[in-house]
Amino acid sequence: MYKVIFACVHNAGRSQMAAAFFNHLADPQKAVAISAGTEPGVRVHPEVQAVMQEIGIDLSHAKPQKLTEELAKDAQLLITMGCGDKCPYVPGLRRDDWPLQDPKGLPIQEVRAIRDEIRQRVKLLIAANA
């Protein structure tokens, strides 16, 4: 099983969208994604929930969680979401960074643009690892 971790600081926006897209688009028999953060927030940002709901993905039950060694132990890839020096690091994991703007508090059209870019990046990631 190929396991990807999408991580940002608060695990309340970009990483939640990325993991949701990955799990929606990838073959569940071959790959799975989780999302986590170094300083998890209380909930997924409302604007993120709204733009994902528009395309039929429900994040209303998603909860930000802390990136721990236990969570990362079986993973092959860590993708950080443009959080700079605050991005998590897990020894031994291949790492990539997607420089994406934090959607928190942005106008809905900008959050949609971030969502669409994440979806495209996830599609390319799945194709490259198929």
Side-chain angles (χ1 to χ4, degrees):
M1 176 70 71
Y2 190 78
K3 183 175 172 183
V4 179
I5 299 173
F6 292 98
C8 57
V9 177
H10 300 294
N11 188 219
R14 297 163 288 188
S15 56
Q16 290 282 353
M17 287 191 279
F21 277 128
F22 189 96
N23 290 326
H24 184 73
L25 298 168
D27 180 342
Q29 302 298 316
K30 295 180 181 176
V32 66
I34 58 171
S35 68
T38 51
E39 301 167 19
V42 176
R43 61 184 163 85
V44 175
H45 302 313
E47 56 272 28
V48 168
Q49 288 186 41
V51 299
M52 293 301 280
Q53 190 65 52
E54 289 175 354
I55 58 166
I57 296 177
D58 182 7
L59 290 180
S60 63
H61 299 293
K63 298 272 186 252
Q65 63 180 335
K66 185 159 182 68
L67 179 59
T68 63
E69 283 185 33
E70 181 67 26
L71 200 64
K73 75 175 181 192
D74 299 334
Q76 287 75 37
L77 177 62
L78 171 67
I79 296 181
T80 54
M81 313 300 271
C83 40
D85 293 341
K86 290 187 172 191
C87 277
Y89 171 75
V90 179
L93 276 187
R94 198 175 95 218
R95 183 170 167 220
D96 193 7
D97 184 68
W98 293 355
L100 299 162
Q101 185 177 4
D102 186 346
K104 183 180 181 183
L106 294 179
I108 203 77
Q109 59 271 30
E110 290 181 43
V111 180
R112 285 184 189 121
I114 294 166
R115 174 199 67 197
D116 295 344
E117 182 176 349
I118 290 171
R119 177 175 26 202
Q120 190 57 36
R121 286 176 176 268
V122 168
K123 284 180 177 180
L124 292 170
L125 175 67
I126 292 169
N129 290 286

